[in-house]
Amino acid sequence: MAGRPRPPQQQPHSPSASTRRRERWLVVLGVALHAVYMLSIFDIYFKSPIVHGMAPVPPRLSSPPAKRLVLLVADGLRADKFFEPDERGRYRAPFLRGVIQEKGRWGVSHARPPTESRPGHVSIIAGFYEDPSAVTKGWKANPVEFDSVFNQSRHTISFGSPDIVPIFCSSVPHSTWGTYPHEYEDFATEALIADASFLDHWSLDQFQSLLNRSFDDIKLRQLLLQDKLVIFLHLLGCDTNGHAHRPYSDIYLNNVKVVDQIAESVYNLMENYFKDNQTAYVFTADHGMSDKGSHGDGHPSNTDTPLVVWGAGVRNPKFLTYTEKPDDGFRFVDDHKHDTPTPQDWALEGFERVDVNQADIAPLMATLVGLPCPMNSVGSLPTHYLKLSKADEVEAVLANTKQILNQFLRKSELKQSSSLYFKPFKPLANYSSVLNQIEDLLSARDYETAMKHSEELRRMALAGLHYFQTYDWFMLMTTITLGYIGWMVNLILHVLQSYTSFPANLIKKTHTSIKVYIGGCFIMGLSSIILLLEKSPLLYHAYMFMTIFLWTRIVQNYEYLKAVWRGLSNMSSKYIFNLMNYSVVALIVLELLVVSFFDRKIYTWCFLVLGILGSTYVGLFIQSSPALAIYIWLACWFLSVFTLMPAEIPENNNLVIFSGALIILVAMASRWTNSNSTSFWLYLTRANKRDPQSSKLFFVQVILVAVSSIMVWLSTSHRSQNRELHSLHQLINWSVAGVAMVLPLFSPNSVLSRLTSIFLGFAPPFLLLSIGYEAVFYSSFAMVLIGWIFVESANLYCSEQSSSTRRRSIVDGSVFGYEERHLQLSDLRIPLLFVILFNVAFFGTGNFASIASFEISSVYRFITVFSPFLMAGLLIFKLFIPFMLVICTFSAITKIVRIPRLGCYFLVILLSDVMTIHFFFLVRNTGSWMEIGNSISHFGIVSAQVVFVLLLFALTNIYTRDIEASSRQLTSRKVM
């Protein structure tokens, strides 16, 4: 149309030396930025909540309810298996059930994930939940020293597992403790395989032996007779039997009876020894056990554990007629409702049930023996268990409140001392007046109002702790998010300036650049001074510097951005509509890829839809051979099956052998296609020089694939017969794999010939490292990649056929003979498809999971002597092979359509970083260790793609750098 600005014309593109130099710096900047920002999650999500410097707050009780406390922890005991009857209608814990009905209180203790032994015991004994900074220190020990009931006691006696008891007793001088050898926990020992309840009897025997020795040891007897004594027996049997035999097995269920018998024995020992009715007893578990024999997540079978409390200072059972209570909105730490109905088969509806959060047990135990609550505890004292006077009950709750308030005040003090602009927690601004008011109410004996005020103050103190734990979150998350956005804007600017037709008439040298950089340096210096005055960690400076630097570069390109905006404003409405469409589709696809990290089945739906859309597009718009449309449909649907398979690959060596034949068939079909010399096939085949040696090379590669399939069968038969793999077999396997990967370098350099050779070259090592269906995935994945090349070639052919000049000057020639063209909007489909296929290579076969679930048969054909580094290297190499195919195909496509590969690489990183920002906000510091670890690894995987993809580009360049694609002469140009 006359008067309407036309989009920039497509011109040959040849990056200058300055562009290459700028790109090298951009890559270095990207690597540094992603490395630094990856560390930010540890400053945001994984800071330890533990602070030191508080004073203990002893409860002002008229007298302690008990002189001593016995804590029995049945590791891995599920609440339902403890309370429910067996198949004969008899209850498994008759003694503790009698306690519930006659002389104590009961409930369900709700654990917070991760439901593991160390955090569970820390919660029970110290009163706080898993320290998230443990992720940076390892899971076996708490990363920061903390206070506990044992620390506050006059003396602690403990017997049990070497993995639990030393955590609490090794640094407590006033403790007597013992553990059995680690060998007792070896799952390979016959005793443990048969029944691990002997571990529980060991703890009981040690305690009984200590009591017996005290009759001859005066010092030991004096130690036992003093007040504020804590006795802890760790009973590991249920956990070990649950792992080995599952929690519904007879062995596990019998172990429930064993711990009940031990509880009865301990009770009788204590009562007969002391004879003063001054002992309080607490029986609970650190976590439950799933039906699969595992634990760690937030399933009720893992979070619900029994709690039975009786003895001195404990209320008697309260009988009630059960009536359904409305949901009051309260939730425990495992998100379970308050006042959950008791299952009828427990037959305990007539006895008041008092559920608690697991951390509430620590202040309960401390109060029972008149000790200060552990200084790092966040537990709330469950008063329904305590038999105290009204005054003592309020004093106990007030001491619990002051202990939590002290943590809040300490955190507030530390933050205020290092903040130039301190934002206090306003709801607790008048905490001192509230404390004075409570004291006045106590003096006036208005205990009910004093209790309400104390509980409200405790609730606000807990909220204040969370406030200061997340105090820097907004600043850090804003800085990191702005940094990622700044990085992506810089990538867009670079691609626009270096790989599109915009820069030719828009770039103007200005004198404002120096001023902008001076301004950026000033802001950096100012922020550095502020951070130094606030005593911020060194990494805070790095986060801020990176973000300021990136946005300084953006401001420096302000005039260029204005010019781009003007250019877009003058574009046709159709172009703007297409731009918006591409952006929306890309965002939807990227969000689906984020979801796929949690549910692989997304890829099944993705390829089912892609098969329909791809075949429809080919049939209606490209109008090429109908066979191509059918092929695209079948290839995509075939690939969609694999993400329905289990992530843990079941062993099926017959499938591996069959896949060798399938690989040969796919290669032969590609070879036949390579002989086609009509229409769009010209782009893939005309560079062939008809070298007679290529047929011989193809034959050799097919033979190597066949040999690798035979070696899979031989290795498997030796293993099934428990025979040692011959050294000759190993030598053949290493030789076949090594030679096969070198042969593609000698194949013809036309697109289809070289890619077929690469496919055959990586097939032998992949087959030899496969154990099941992932071997078939290799062929299916290659079929989709070949389909992608066919569609791009057909699309290019039809586009050039319908160009305005109608010239049909297809000539033989290498892509190196012609300059790359500029990127167009429609080219965004290529990096977007690359990102999809790259992620399918991760999750298409469950291979990503198989690193963690190491399977010896995966590497048995190469090595039989245990060598963890070599075995891990082989497994990682296996995972790399599908990535190599994707990147080789991607490189070939960029040569076919004559677009700059490095420009597409920057677009790939741009798309990946959209996912990175999403995963940054999905990092978790609560939940099971697996959930926490997966959230970190997801963020890390996507962040690392800037390096990972670049390294694979460099590696695959060995195979793809001399690929030649037939190209239309650049005498005719399409508009954008």
Side-chain angles (χ1 to χ4, degrees), residues 50 196 199 344 381 408 506 510 552 580 630 676 686 696 784 788 798 805 821 867:
I50 299 172
L199 299 173
Q344 289 187 355
L381 179 65
F408 162 79
L506 296 181
T510 66
T552 301
M580 293 177 65
I630 295 171
N676 201 325
R686 283 288 296 275
K696 295 179 182 178
V784 169
W788 185 20
C798 292
T805 57
R821 64 171 174 80
S867 175

Side-chain angles (χ1 to χ4, degrees), residues 83 136 199 214 250 273 286 384 417 505 576 668 737 747 832 872 928 945 947-948:
F83 290 117
T136 64
L199 299 173
S214 70
D250 290 339
Y273 186 91
D286 55 347
H384 289 286
S417 67
N505 54 3
I576 300 300
M668 290 176 68
S747 64
L832 188 60
S928 70
Q945 284 193 9
V947 179
F948 185 53

Side-chain angles (χ1 to χ4, degrees), residues 231-267:
I231 297 162
F232 167 48
L233 298 186
H234 177 241
L235 312 175
L236 187 64
C238 286
D239 183 74
T240 307
N241 280 326
H243 287 309
H245 306 287
R246 307 297 183 266
Y248 46 78
S249 66
D250 290 339
I251 293 176
Y252 179 91
L253 298 176
N254 181 69
N255 209 145
V256 178
K257 300 176 183 177
V258 170
V259 296
D260 180 70
Q261 292 163 5
I262 289 175
E264 183 177 15
S265 298
V266 170
Y267 174 73

Side-chain angles (χ1 to χ4, degrees), residues 534-736:
E534 292 195 340
K535 302 173 185 175
S536 299
L538 190 62
L539 278 173
Y540 282 31
H541 295 258
Y543 307 147
M544 197 66 71
F545 283 9
M546 285 280 190
T547 302
I548 293 170
F549 175 74
L550 289 167
W551 283 95
T552 301
R553 285 175 56 87
I554 293 169
V555 173
Q556 187 251 331
N557 284 283
Y558 174 69
E559 292 297 328
Y560 178 75
L561 285 170
K562 279 173 52 178
V564 170
W565 178 256
R566 285 195 301 270
L568 287 173
S569 301
N570 293 328
M571 291 289 185
S572 65
S573 57
K574 181 181 178 182
Y575 183 84
I576 300 300
F577 180 74
N578 287 338
L579 176 63
M580 293 177 65
N581 274 349
Y582 271 102
S583 301
V584 170
V585 169
L587 282 174
I588 292 172
V589 169
L590 293 173
E591 286 304 303
L592 288 174
L593 290 179
V594 169
V595 176
S596 73
F597 276 69
F598 304 96
D599 184 5
R600 295 190 310 136
K601 293 184 180 65
I602 288 290
Y603 291 115
T604 296
W605 292 105
C606 176
F607 279 96
L608 287 174
V609 172
L610 201 60
I612 295 171
L613 293 178
S615 57
T616 303
Y617 177 77
V618 168
L620 295 180
F621 297 101
I622 298 182
Q623 296 179 352
S624 59
S625 168
L628 178 59
I630 295 171
Y631 172 81
I632 297 299
W633 176 54
L634 291 176
C636 288
W637 280 36
F638 185 23
L639 186 62
S640 71
V641 172
F642 290 92
T643 45
L644 296 175
M645 304 284 188
E648 302 295 329
I649 303 173
E651 194 164 349
N652 187 338
N653 286 289
N654 291 329
L655 204 56
V656 179
I657 295 166
F658 161 76
S659 66
L662 182 61
I663 287 169
I664 293 172
L665 286 175
V666 171
M668 290 176 68
S670 177
R671 176 83 176 172
W672 173 79
T673 304
N674 201 28
S675 63
N676 201 325
S677 58
T678 60
S679 69
F680 70 87
W681 306 105
L682 291 170
Y683 295 105
L684 309 177
T685 62
R686 283 288 296 275
N688 277 340
K689 300 298 186 289
R690 302 300 177 189
D691 186 355
Q693 299 298 321
S694 65
S695 298
K696 295 179 182 178
L697 178 66
F698 179 80
F699 180 73
V700 170
Q701 288 189 293
V702 167
I703 291 295
L704 289 178
V705 173
V707 169
S708 64
S709 296
I710 294 170
M711 294 309 299
V712 167
W713 174 77
L714 277 175
S715 303
T716 305
S717 62
H718 273 70
R719 184 163 175 254
S720 62
Q721 298 168 12
N722 295 320
R723 292 163 57 193
E724 186 180 351
L725 188 66
H726 293 164
S727 299
L728 178 61
H729 290 172
Q730 287 179 276
L731 180 63
I732 292 173
N733 291 340
W734 280 103
S735 301
V736 167

Side-chain angles (χ1 to χ4, degrees), residues 789-807:
I789 292 177
F790 287 169
V791 171
E792 289 293 345
S793 301
N795 182 57
L796 179 64
Y797 178 79
C798 292
S799 297
E800 293 189 340
Q801 287 293 96
S802 61
S803 62
S804 57
T805 57
R806 297 293 178 186
R807 296 181 183 178

Side-chain angles (χ1 to χ4, degrees), residues 801-857:
Q801 287 293 96
S802 61
S803 62
S804 57
T805 57
R806 297 293 178 186
R807 296 181 183 178
R808 301 179 180 233
S809 54
I810 304 287
V811 297
D812 289 339
S814 163
V815 75
F816 296 116
Y818 304 97
E819 293 178 318
E820 296 166 338
R821 64 171 174 80
H822 286 124
L823 286 171
Q824 306 172 56
L825 179 60
S826 60
D827 292 328
L828 183 63
R829 74 186 182 278
I830 294 174
L832 188 60
L833 278 170
F834 172 84
V835 171
I836 295 172
L837 292 167
F838 197 80
N839 281 276
V840 170
F842 257 125
F843 299 107
T845 66
N847 276 345
F848 188 69
S850 70
I851 290 183
S853 55
F854 179 74
E855 174 57 54
I856 186 68
S857 56

Side-chain angles (χ1 to χ4, degrees), residues 140-195:
K140 287 296 182 183
N142 231 67
V144 181
E145 288 298 318
F146 57 91
D147 190 26
S148 72
V149 174
F150 295 176
N151 289 22
Q152 298 291 343
S153 70
R154 200 177 303 278
H155 197 88
T156 294
I157 295 170
S158 178
F159 296 104
S161 167
D163 294 323
I164 297 299
V165 173
I167 293 175
F168 302 95
C169 298
S170 60
S171 59
V172 177
H174 52 275
S175 63
T176 302
W177 57 280
T179 65
Y180 41 75
H182 275 286
E183 291 74 25
Y184 281 26
E185 298 179 2
D186 186 352
F187 280 90
T189 59
E190 292 183 12
L192 212 63
I193 292 171
D195 187 355

